[in-house]
Amino acid sequence: KIRTLLQNWNNYKLKLRQNNRSLYYLVDFVEAVVVALVFALIIRKYVIQTSLVPTGSMIPTMMIRDRLFVNKFVYRFSEPKRGDIIVFKSPYKDKKDYVKRCIGLPGEKIEVRKGVVYINDKQLVFPGVNVIRDYSYFGPVDVPADRFIMMGDNRPNSLDSRVWGFVDREDILGKAFFTFWPFSRMQMLK
């Protein structure tokens, strides 16, 4: 049935090209725009999207109003890893997206003592990542199945899992991998 529709459409365009070139070019242009829009919507829904950093919770890794590319495809085939910068639905269910670093994975014991994160009683260190430390205490908590603990890199100024709890696996939208705006701060994220 679809093959028949496509064949009929192509026959219509061929006749139009022979009879009215101006209308043919208009129809051809509209067809190209519609196809491009459909592909763009599919890509945005399932593969990649852009996102905005709404707060200073990820400073110095990302600044307020930085724009990111988010890979929505990667977590269809793998689980989030510790250290990934993740975009997820707001825990307040207010239709906003949050950006934080994945700290705690399902099945782990997480504790923060004097601002230092411990995973199963071992200190967490992210080589090459500048985390602004605070001197808070949190936990210990055991991370349930299909849940994650997220924290901002700017710990003293981050409302994160220490405040609102775990992030459900189903609320994770994707992995932030590149800041593209402003140009002066374009970078691959780590």
Side-chain angles (χ1 to χ4, degrees):
K1 184 166 179 155
I2 292 175
R3 183 176 282 166
T4 305
L5 286 172
L6 288 175
Q7 186 62 43
N8 289 343
W9 175 251
N10 286 332
N11 289 339
Y12 169 75
K13 282 178 46 180
L14 284 173
K15 288 178 188 175
L16 198 57
R17 186 175 187 180
Q18 292 170 350
N19 298 332
N20 188 344
R21 280 198 177 270
S22 298
L23 187 56
Y24 165 77
Y25 287 122
L26 178 63
V27 167
D28 195 50
F29 174 76
V30 169
E31 177 186 44
V33 168
V34 168
V35 168
L37 283 172
V38 167
F39 276 118
L41 290 172
I42 290 170
I43 287 169
R44 187 178 193 289
K45 176 75 175 166
Y46 297 106
V47 180
I48 195 168
Q49 77 175 43
T50 61
S51 190
L52 176 73
V53 177
T55 69
S57 69
M58 287 299 291
I59 290 172
T61 306
M62 293 175 286
M63 302 298 170
I64 300 169
R65 305 203 55 78
D66 278 1
R67 298 201 182 265
L68 317 165
F69 283 124
V70 179
N71 181 338
K72 296 177 78 169
F73 195 66
V74 67
Y75 295 140
R76 293 185 190 277
F77 301 102
S78 67
E79 290 299 309
K81 296 175 183 58
R82 184 180 349 281
D84 287 356
I85 297 173
I86 295 179
V87 177
F88 55 95
K89 295 177 188 173
S90 163
Y92 299 113
K93 307 300 180 201
D94 57 6
K95 300 192 190 251
K96 294 181 181 175
D97 295 343
Y98 281 28
V99 181
K100 306 281 185 211
R101 191 174 297 277
C102 183
I103 301 296
L105 304 174
E108 294 179 331
K109 181 177 86 170
I110 309 296
E111 185 173 8
V112 179
R113 296 187 303 252
K114 290 187 179 178
V116 177
V117 177
Y118 294 89
I119 311 278
N120 297 326
D121 298 317
K122 293 184 181 173
Q123 184 176 347
L124 174 64
V125 176
F126 289 122
V129 175
N130 187 5
V131 174
I132 300 173
R133 185 175 151 198
D134 64 2
Y135 293 92
S136 67
Y137 288 83
F138 171 75
V141 296
D142 293 319
V143 184
D146 292 325
R147 304 265 171 90
F148 298 84
I149 288 186
M150 308 290 183
M151 291 184 188
D153 288 352
N154 184 1
R155 301 281 163 77
N157 297 302
S158 178
L159 293 177
D160 50 35
S161 286
R162 296 170 294 172
V163 175
W164 33 255
F166 305 109
V167 172
D168 291 334
R169 175 68 172 89
E170 66 188 26
D171 290 338
I172 292 176
L173 300 174
K175 178 180 179 179
F177 67 94
F178 187 77
T179 57
F180 66 91
W181 186 261
F183 291 128
S184 63
R185 287 199 298 272
M186 275 185 10
Q187 65 175 336
M188 292 298 291
L189 296 170
K190 58 179 176 174

